[in-house]
């Protein structure tokens, strides 16, 4: 890939995050989870071509939208770390999560995106679980993030469906509907 391809990936990531934020109505202090296969972004099979070249552009694109909004990014690691998440210590303290001891590595356990998050956050920590506290997220390349989003998880369609060559699935939380056919619902929460 060339420099302009990486820049396009950064722009696509920022656009996707921005559109999900608009649809999900997140607020400062909420958690946005991203699971990412850098291999899939490059058009390869998940787990086969981890790329420390493309991961910074994905991370920068996401953070360029999330950080100014005061929304915490939770970067999901690969299956070798049981999909643990890299978060800022401030997020850990805010939500009362439990820290675990591992340092993500791109070609061992953690994946490129988790490694870049660990290297780029101000005070990174690893947690095994965020107790389904995320309010929205993006699965880039089939990494399975649904377990981290608070039920009820609703898929979102946005204007793009790929980042690089990876298919994306976007999702958000919505409150449960209760009350049946006679209930009236708040349209802003749907």
């Amino acid at each position: 890939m060339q420099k302009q391809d990486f820049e396009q990936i950064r722009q696509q990531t920022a656009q996707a995050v921005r559109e999900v934020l608009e649809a999900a109505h997140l607020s400062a202090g909420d958690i946005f989870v991203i699971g990412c296969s850098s291999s899939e972004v490059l058009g390869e099979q998940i787990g086969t071509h981890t790329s420390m070249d493309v991961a910074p552009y994905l991370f920068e694109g996401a953070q360029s939208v999330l950080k100014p909004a005061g929304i915490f990014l939770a970067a999901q690691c690969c299956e070798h770390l049981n999909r643990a998440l890299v978060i800022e210590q401030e997020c850990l303290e805010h939500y009362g999560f439990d820290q675990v001891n591992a340092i993500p590595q791109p070609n061992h356990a953690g994946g490129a995106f988790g490694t870049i998050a660990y290297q780029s956050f101000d005070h990174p920590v690893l947690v095994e679980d965020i107790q389904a506290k995320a309010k929205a997220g993006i699965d880039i390349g089939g990494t399975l993030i649904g377990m981290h989003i608070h039920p009820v998880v609703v898929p979102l369609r946005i204007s793009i469906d790929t980042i690089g060559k990876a298919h994306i699935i976007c999702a958000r939380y919505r409150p449960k509907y209760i009350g049946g056919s006679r209930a009236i619902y708040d349209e802003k929460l749907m």
Side-chain angles (χ1 to χ4, degrees), residues 36 55 75-78 86 104-105 110-119:
C36 178
Q76 178 180 270
C77 294
C78 71
V86 180
Q105 302 296 306
F113 188 72
T115 299
I116 289 298
Y118 197 88
Q119 293 172 354

Side-chain angles (χ1 to χ4, degrees), residues 51-60 75 86 104 106 111-121:
S51 173
M52 290 295 286
D53 293 328
V54 74
Y57 291 89
L58 294 155
F59 180 83
E60 291 165 13
V86 180
F113 188 72
T115 299
I116 289 298
Y118 197 88
Q119 293 172 354
S120 301
F121 279 153

